[in-house]
Amino acid sequence: MVRIMIIERAPSGALHPFVKFLWASDDRESTIPAKRERMIPTGSMHVVFRLSNHPIRIFDSTIDERGQAFGFGVVAGLRSRYYIKDVCRPVRTVGAVLQPGMAGSLFEVIAADLAERHISIQELWGQSSIDLLEQLHQEGTLQQQLDVFESHLVSKIPQNGSVHPVVAYALKVIPVRGNISEIVRETGYSHKHFIELFRTAVGQSPGLYSRILRFQRALKRLTEPNASLVDIALQNAYSDQAHFNREFREIAGITPGEYRSSRTQSHHVPIPIIKR
């Protein structure tokens, strides 16, 4: 029996400037005994609709017992450290990962106001989010539900949605260069003004954003079993392995070795149930 079905695809042409990719999943059962997952920062904002009777519940830490419930849908701001999410099965979801700087266009919100937090989709889209949920439930297949979700996102595209040219330039060069002071000089803007523009559009300062991107590159290398921690650290501009371990734990809440031991290759790290 199929336990989990996942669809992941690029958005349509009109949506491409706003969305990195769309996804949908139907998770019926898991072989991993976990009720929560550690969600590791991705460097992107995302929106999720949960098409089941379980509300989305987010926890600040592994010892947080209450958490915060968000109903059927959330928009997640950029994170600089991990958070904890509930795991409910069976569950069906649809979602989208946003292009950097595009939250303001699709949700009419300042990205900086969502940093390090989630917000209910109802607060941003109001009745249209409820109407969308009803439409999603009317469709029979996961593919059809993803099509409806994508169409709704397309309907939210503003006529003049774009990123400030200076921010767009920074987003293009930061992943390959990372020297923020040099990038600021090239824009001709003051450091303060540049930081303000970037943080408003993206949700984090350019320095912190660059730091998360570096972490992402190192995380990807960790899925290669023969890559040593020393090599991963040095190839990603960490001063040494100790620096890499320290920053990894600060962002992910676990060590690089613990991430490898989890045998996951994603940003979802199951938190096993401890039997007493």
Side-chain angles (χ1 to χ4, degrees):
M1 182 181 71
V2 176
R3 288 181 173 142
I4 182 169
M5 177 185 297
I6 299 176
I7 299 172
E8 185 176 306
R9 73 183 190 210
S12 62
L15 199 58
H16 188 266
F18 301 88
V19 171
K20 283 186 175 181
F21 65 89
L22 299 143
W23 57 268
S25 69
D26 187 357
D27 194 352
R28 305 176 190 178
E29 183 181 354
S30 175
T31 58
I32 301 174
K35 291 185 178 181
R36 296 186 184 183
E37 293 176 325
R38 184 185 303 271
M39 304 298 293
I40 297 178
T42 64
S44 299
M45 294 182 63
H46 63 270
V47 55
V48 178
F49 270 69
R50 179 174 283 184
L51 310 179
S52 64
N53 295 326
H54 313 292
I56 298 171
R57 191 173 293 275
I58 304 297
F59 305 85
D60 289 332
S61 68
T62 55
I63 61 174
D64 180 3
E65 295 296 333
R66 296 184 61 184
Q68 186 176 4
F70 290 92
F72 58 84
V74 295
V75 174
L78 258 63
R79 294 265 182 167
S80 61
R81 66 185 301 273
Y82 76 95
Y83 65 92
I84 307 296
K85 181 179 72 67
D86 69 327
V87 176
C88 299
R89 294 180 176 91
V91 64
R92 181 176 283 201
T93 54
V94 295
V97 175
L98 307 184
Q99 296 282 10
M102 286 303 178
S105 297
L106 290 177
F107 300 104
E108 297 183 1
V109 66
I110 296 174
D113 291 342
L114 289 182
E116 312 294 346
R117 61 187 285 252
H118 289 67
I119 187 170
S120 169
I121 191 65
Q122 289 177 265
E123 290 190 39
L124 300 176
W125 280 352
Q127 182 61 42
S128 71
S129 66
I130 299 174
D131 295 340
L132 173 57
L133 182 66
E134 293 177 354
Q135 294 173 35
L136 291 168
H137 281 303
Q138 290 171 7
E139 301 298 334
T141 69
L142 201 61
Q143 184 68 60
Q144 291 169 333
Q145 288 172 325
L146 190 56
D147 290 342
V148 168
F149 179 65
E150 180 173 15
S151 294
H152 190 82
L153 287 175
V154 170
S155 74
K156 293 293 184 180
I157 296 176
Q159 291 185 344
N160 298 309
S162 63
V163 180
H164 190 286
V166 166
V167 177
Y169 173 73
L171 288 170
K172 181 179 179 180
V173 299
I174 284 176
V176 294
R177 287 166 52 190
N179 188 323
I180 306 303
S181 296
E182 183 178 285
I183 293 170
V184 173
R185 285 195 299 271
E186 291 172 356
T187 67
Y189 280 68
S190 70
H191 190 270
K192 181 179 179 180
H193 191 190
F194 174 81
I195 298 297
E196 181 182 357
L197 287 171
F198 192 94
R199 191 193 300 274
T200 297
V202 179
Q204 292 175 342
S205 69
L208 184 54
Y209 180 72
S210 177
R211 183 183 175 201
I212 296 301
L213 293 185
R214 177 176 68 173
F215 165 81
Q216 283 297 314
R217 292 191 293 270
L219 187 74
K220 187 175 182 179
R221 290 294 313 280
L222 278 174
T223 63
E224 303 172 16
N226 295 326
S228 72
L229 296 184
V230 173
D231 287 343
I232 293 174
L234 297 180
Q235 290 168 7
N236 287 283
Y238 293 98
S239 57
D240 52 32
Q241 185 179 337
H243 178 205
F244 173 48
N245 289 346
R246 184 169 60 254
E247 184 161 300
F248 193 98
R249 188 177 186 89
E250 181 181 340
I251 294 172
I254 53 178
T255 66
E258 288 171 328
Y259 177 82
R260 267 186 166 167
S261 297
S262 72
R263 299 186 181 278
T264 186
Q265 293 191 359
S266 73
H267 301 92
H268 301 239
V269 182
I271 301 176
I273 298 172
I274 298 176
K275 296 182 180 180
R276 304 189 181 193

